[in-house]
Amino acid sequence: MKPLVAVAIASLFLLEPPRFTAVQPDLLGTGGNLVNAWADYDGDGDVDLFVGFNGVANRLYRNDAGTLVDAAAATGVADARATRAGAWGDYDGDGDPDLLVGFAPGPQSVLKLYRNDAGKFTDVTAAVGVARDSGAVRQLSFVDTDGDGDVDLFVAFRDRPNVMFRNDAGKFADVAADIGLADRRKSVGAVWFDFDEDGDFDLYLANMDGDANALYRNDAGKFTDVAAERGIAWGGRLPNDSTNVTVRPCAADVNGDGHIDIVTANYGRRGLFLNRGGGKFEDASAAWGLDIESHDDACALADFDNDGRLDMYVNGTVTGGVSYRDYLYRNTGTKTVAKFGSAEVVRDADGAPMFLDRQNIPAIVDLDCDGRLDFFIGRIEGHVARYEAIAPGADRFGLIEDHYEGIEIIGRGGTPPPVGTQVRGTQYAGTRSGLRAILP
């Protein structure tokens, strides 16, 4: 069985940035993609990809040994509705991931939950209690907030209080108001992780239009916003400025010290906040070269060049007639000094700029389990694109083949691990440690 999560380890610092080569451009030629969400829906050991579009039929790309095949119609998830969010989670605890989709408002529910039965999907939205007749859905997360062993469901809305569905034996009830998560601010992004390292999942919430971000500390299933006291309420952007927003937060151990840090993709200055342990954050935006004005829609952290350090991709938006560029920051740090190097324009295998149109959330995963990260990005104008990373130094010295390891992560009872699950490891004969989290 191929690994569900793959980790590529190399022992050479690569001076050359990775390049990317397009894969299956004919299949992936439809524009208007807004949503990417990956999981092993058919249980064959490799990851598959759900893609939501802005009005044409959604797609579910089945991964057949690294080759993508559209199986949406055959499996029952080819909705031709404007799609705004998507997430996988095993809500019924039967060992396979189910699919939740968020749509733009229309005559039907803006949420749709598909139960996965051996790779075929059934609409159970009304039966399990998650139907909503309106709302601007922006972020979906399956996460076990109360520690009872099943995944609950968080929904961030752009235009109304957020919702937290508690899962009781596969039935859902909205408990957001009772536990402190019915935030009325204009929420657009959310990431769950254990920021204070007390064993439960906390929430960092990105808000728009001059609203401060939130950091909800989880205390036995009750949530308190501690963003202001932890110094991360604005995510590096200007306070109380309606033109400055946080669109998407990312969480990962960027400096390899064993604590999960926060990166914010903003309209305004980008932010990086290093977790110094116990949930105490240090603003490292300027020190790491991120304290610059930008208009970003998303961030993603992954080791593109296989040197053991997390690099960062940020994608620019289109606003006011300006198309902001995408950039790839390489992590040029060492064990004692970690920082991002100068931003490079993301380029293809021929050296040409890769992304020139507006994009949305990327999906980054080793689809063919060859030790190189595959990069799936949705374009608003143009087309959907899948790229495979080429790290020239690693290929030249054979490091990917010789230093590639696979890790399979299994949750309780053999089910897929929930969002927020953290994996700790040590690289390079004990010289570097790191922490990874499974994030939405």
Side-chain angles (χ1 to χ4, degrees), residues 60-359:
L60 176 58
Y61 290 114
R62 187 183 67 237
N63 185 353
D64 292 340
T67 298
L68 298 178
V69 178
D70 184 12
T75 57
V77 295
D79 294 288
R81 296 176 58 187
T83 301
R84 296 293 181 262
W88 295 92
D90 184 15
Y91 87 92
D92 53 0
D94 65 351
D96 53 26
D98 309 295
L99 176 63
L100 181 72
V101 184
F103 300 105
Q108 298 174 304
S109 171
V110 295
L111 298 175
K112 193 171 188 178
L113 179 59
Y114 285 104
R115 186 184 66 229
N116 184 351
D117 297 308
K120 301 289 185 179
F121 292 90
T122 303
D123 180 3
V124 295
T125 308
V128 302
V130 298
R132 286 293 183 273
D133 60 6
S134 60
V137 180
R138 286 297 181 267
Q139 179 77 56
L140 308 174
S141 303
F142 283 101
V143 59
D144 183 7
T145 58
D146 51 9
D148 64 353
D150 54 25
V151 290
D152 310 299
L153 174 60
F154 174 77
V155 183
F157 284 99
R158 175 69 174 76
D159 60 349
R160 63 197 57 213
N162 297 327
V163 171
M164 185 75 237
F165 290 107
R166 185 183 61 219
N167 186 349
D168 291 319
K171 303 289 186 179
F172 290 93
D174 181 9
V175 296
D178 298 330
I179 65 176
L181 288 179
D183 199 320
R184 293 181 175 274
R185 288 173 286 189
K186 297 177 177 63
S187 302
V188 290
V191 62
W192 292 84
F193 67 108
D194 185 10
F195 88 89
D196 53 0
E197 300 165 357
D198 65 350
D200 53 26
F201 296 132
D202 312 293
L203 169 64
Y204 188 67
L205 185 66
N207 295 314
M208 296 189 71
D209 296 348
D211 287 339
N213 300 337
L215 177 64
Y216 282 106
R217 186 184 64 219
N218 185 348
D219 297 310
K222 300 288 186 178
F223 290 84
T224 304
D225 183 4
V226 296
E229 68 184 64
R230 302 296 171 128
I232 56 176
W234 298 102
R237 57 189 168 96
L238 292 176
N240 302 305
D241 185 336
S242 62
T243 67
N244 274 214
V245 305
T246 298
V247 182
R248 190 70 53 174
C250 294
D253 180 12
V254 300
N255 60 346
D257 67 351
H259 307 295
I260 298 292
D261 313 302
I262 296 175
V263 175
T264 52
N266 296 333
Y267 288 14
R269 294 192 299 269
R270 295 179 186 133
L272 169 62
F273 298 86
L274 297 180
N275 189 337
R276 295 307 189 184
K280 297 179 180 179
F281 291 94
E282 174 189 339
D283 186 350
S285 308
W288 281 58
L290 297 183
D291 188 27
I292 59 175
E293 287 290 328
S294 183
H295 281 71
D296 299 327
D297 276 336
C299 52
L301 293 152
D303 183 10
F304 285 105
D305 53 8
N306 291 297
D307 68 350
R309 290 178 282 267
L310 287 179
D311 310 299
M312 183 175 69
Y313 162 79
V314 291
N315 78 276
T317 190
V318 175
T319 182
V322 178
S323 179
Y324 289 86
R325 302 292 291 271
D326 297 3
Y327 287 94
L328 178 63
Y329 286 88
R330 295 180 64 241
N331 190 334
T332 60
T334 66
K335 181 181 178 183
T336 56
V337 180
K339 66 180 297 183
F340 287 119
S342 298
E344 299 162 341
V345 176
V346 187
R347 298 182 182 277
D348 65 19
D350 296 323
M354 201 163 72
F355 305 131
L356 299 176
D357 301 327
R358 183 184 175 193
Q359 302 88 41

